[in-house]
C-alpha cells in the first residue's frame, strides 16, 4: 500500500538542542535504512520548513503506524497520512521505468 505522509517537526524553544541533533541523526539513519529496504520510497524537503513529504510503500496501515511511531522525532511531529491508489489516467505501467 502506498501512503503520502506529510511530516512537520515542531521543536519547543526550550528543548535540549544537543539531544535534538542526536535524535535527528538517528532519524536520518533510520530513514536511509527504510529507503534501502524499499519502505520509504521517496522523501522531499518542504522548502523553508523543517518538514517533508514522503511516500511509503508498506503492507498496511499498521506497518506504517509502527514505522512512524518508531521515529526518534515522532513526539515532535505533526503527521498527515493520505492513502494512495493508482489513478485510471496514469500511464505509469504503459512504459518500463527509465533509469534517471
Amino acid at each position: 500500500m502506498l501512503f503520502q505522509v506529510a511530516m512537520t517537526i515542531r521543536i519547543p524553544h526550550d528543548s535540549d538542542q544537543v539531544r535534538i541533533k542526536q535524535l535527528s541523526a538517528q532519524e536520518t539513519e533510520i530513514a536511509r535504512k527504510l529507503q534501502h529496504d524499499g519502505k520509504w520510497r521517496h522523501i522531499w524537503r518542504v522548502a523553508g520548513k523543517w518538514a517533508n513529504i514522503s511516500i511509503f510503500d508498506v503492507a498496511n496501515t499498521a506497518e506504517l503506524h509502527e514505522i512512524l511511531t518508531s521515529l526518534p522525532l515522532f513526539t515532535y511531529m505533526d503527521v498527515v497520512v493520505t492513502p494512495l491508489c493508482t489513478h485510471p489516467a496514469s500511464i505509469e505501467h504503459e512504459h518500463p521505468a527509465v533509469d534517471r
Side-chain angles (χ1 to χ4, degrees), residues 35-73:
Q35 288 175 75
H36 284 291
D37 292 346
K39 302 286 183 181
W40 199 324
R41 297 274 301 272
H42 302 282
I43 182 169
W44 296 275
R45 165 89 56 212
V46 176
K49 296 182 179 183
W50 193 356
N52 72 68
I53 301 292
S54 296
I55 302 296
F56 285 84
D57 188 355
V58 294
N60 51 45
T61 55
E63 183 181 14
L64 180 64
H65 180 77
E66 183 179 322
I67 289 170
L68 295 176
T69 58
S70 72
L71 294 174
L73 290 170

Side-chain angles (χ1 to χ4, degrees), residues 20-39:
I20 296 302
K21 286 184 182 191
Q22 291 171 340
L23 293 174
S24 184
Q26 291 170 2
E27 189 148 314
T28 296
E29 288 179 33
I30 292 168
R32 288 181 179 185
K33 181 184 182 318
L34 288 166
Q35 288 175 75
H36 284 291
D37 292 346
K39 302 286 183 181

